[in-house]
Amino acid sequence: MKGKLKALTLCTVAALALFLLPAYAFATQQEGTVYSVGNATEFADATKKIAANAAEENAVIELTADVTLTDAFTGVEGKHVTVRSSGDGSTPPPFSDANF
């Protein structure tokens, strides 16, 4: 009986490790440089800086106010860019319908 309990405990620990370790690794990924922007000019400057930084694959554009763009944001070639609100209720600009 004790042998079965040990085996069950070992299987449970192994299953938890298999499911939790990859989730933990994903949760701790670096998000990259955060660019705080409050208008369309700052947004455009941030995208240019992201494109120019060859060493960085990930970046965040954080909106500090509502940003109105003349063209839809289509991303930055070869980069993973996250656009988020700073928590003040600002809304993201329109995005392109293009497939990324």
Side-chain angles (χ1 to χ4, degrees), residues 5-93:
L5 184 59
K6 284 184 181 181
L8 179 62
T9 302
L10 181 62
C11 288
T12 302
V13 170
L16 286 174
L18 287 173
F19 290 110
L20 294 179
L21 288 178
Y24 176 75
F26 179 73
T28 60
Q29 287 181 343
Q30 298 296 324
E31 65 178 18
T33 303
V34 177
Y35 299 88
S36 295
V37 302
N39 58 47
T41 303
E42 292 175 354
F43 193 94
D45 290 343
T47 57
K48 288 176 188 172
K49 289 177 184 175
I50 293 167
N53 188 348
E56 185 173 55
E57 295 179 7
N58 299 313
V60 176
I61 298 176
E62 186 173 78
L63 305 176
T64 59
D66 285 340
V67 175
T68 303
L69 301 177
T70 56
D71 295 319
F73 176 62
T74 58
V76 178
E77 181 84 27
K79 308 287 181 162
H80 179 260
V81 179
T82 302
V83 179
R84 69 180 182 203
S85 171
S86 63
D88 62 356
S90 54
T91 56

